């Protein structure tokens, strides 16, 4: 989570989740850990990148295709993480599903 | 930057930038401010969301189309921010260009 994800060549999909948190973050860290673990266990999961500061969170997860994203969402719904999080931990959030068409990068010394 | 961007209905494009910073961050804040200001001035700019913690940065900018992204990139190249940043402030970075196909969200009390 603290370095760029090692994704394959495009195309693949990204779920861009951005949220403004509330002041009530009891249980939040456990929910995040559960969501991350459940993502890693899903078929088609390619990686995740996240950072948060000043109660603003940006998390991007990468997936092989839309079916993999749909299956993860069903799994989350089952965990109730979405329902719980919506009212308690998040004042506002956005989910954007996007098809990654091109990727490039840089590694020092690489 | 500390709340989700107010983007229009999809489709539109996202530039997902993730980077691991070096220890040498002299001038970094000025470069970020310059990049953000230059994005806001570009035609087709729709918004930006960013967070960083533990030297890991996730910044997502939104654009009307690929032409707007290409024009912004040319502008950044002119500013030399990319060239400067590559060796000095970033140990590793990734840029992913993605077409946002679907978006939804939640606002407390909304």
């Amino acid at each position: 989570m603290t370095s760029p994800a090692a994704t394959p060549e495009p195309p693949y999909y990204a779920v861009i989740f951005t949220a403004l948190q509330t002041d009530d973050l009891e249980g939040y860290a456990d929910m995040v850990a559960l969501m991350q673990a459940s993502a890693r266990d899903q078929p088609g999961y390619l990686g995740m990148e996240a950072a948060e500061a000043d109660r603003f969170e940006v998390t991007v997860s990468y997936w092989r295709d839309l079916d993999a994203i749909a299956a993860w969402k069903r799994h989350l719904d089952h965990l109730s993480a979405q329902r719980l999080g919506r009212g308690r931990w998040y004042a506002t959030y956005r989910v954007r599903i996007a098809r990654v068409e091109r990727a490039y990068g840089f590694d020092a010394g690489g």
Side-chain angles (χ1 to χ4, degrees), chain A residues 63-107:
Chain A
W63 302 87
R64 188 179 52 213
D65 52 34
L66 290 173
D67 286 346
I69 294 171
W72 183 46
K73 185 174 188 304
R74 283 194 301 272
H75 186 69
L76 288 181
D77 286 343
H78 185 68
L79 291 176
S80 295
Q82 282 195 330
R83 183 165 48 82
L84 286 172
R86 196 153 59 177
R88 180 164 187 176
W89 294 304
Y90 295 123
T92 297
Y93 72 72
R94 292 289 178 278
V95 178
R96 294 179 175 93
I97 297 175
R99 183 178 188 272
V100 178
E101 300 181 344
R102 201 157 67 84
Y104 59 94
F106 164 81
D107 297 289

Side-chain angles (χ1 to χ4, degrees), chain A residues 31-86:
Chain A
M31 182 274 293
V32 169
L34 185 64
M35 280 185 58
Q36 291 176 355
S38 75
R40 279 193 298 267
D41 289 341
Q42 286 290 311
Y45 170 77
L46 300 178
M48 191 178 290
E49 297 165 332
E52 63 174 276
D54 300 329
R55 297 199 298 137
F56 187 61
E57 169 189 348
V58 182
T59 298
V60 187
S61 57
Y62 299 102
W63 302 87
R64 188 179 52 213
D65 52 34
L66 290 173
D67 286 346
I69 294 171
W72 183 46
K73 185 174 188 304
R74 283 194 301 272
H75 186 69
L76 288 181
D77 286 343
H78 185 68
L79 291 176
S80 295
Q82 282 195 330
R83 183 165 48 82
L84 286 172
R86 196 153 59 177

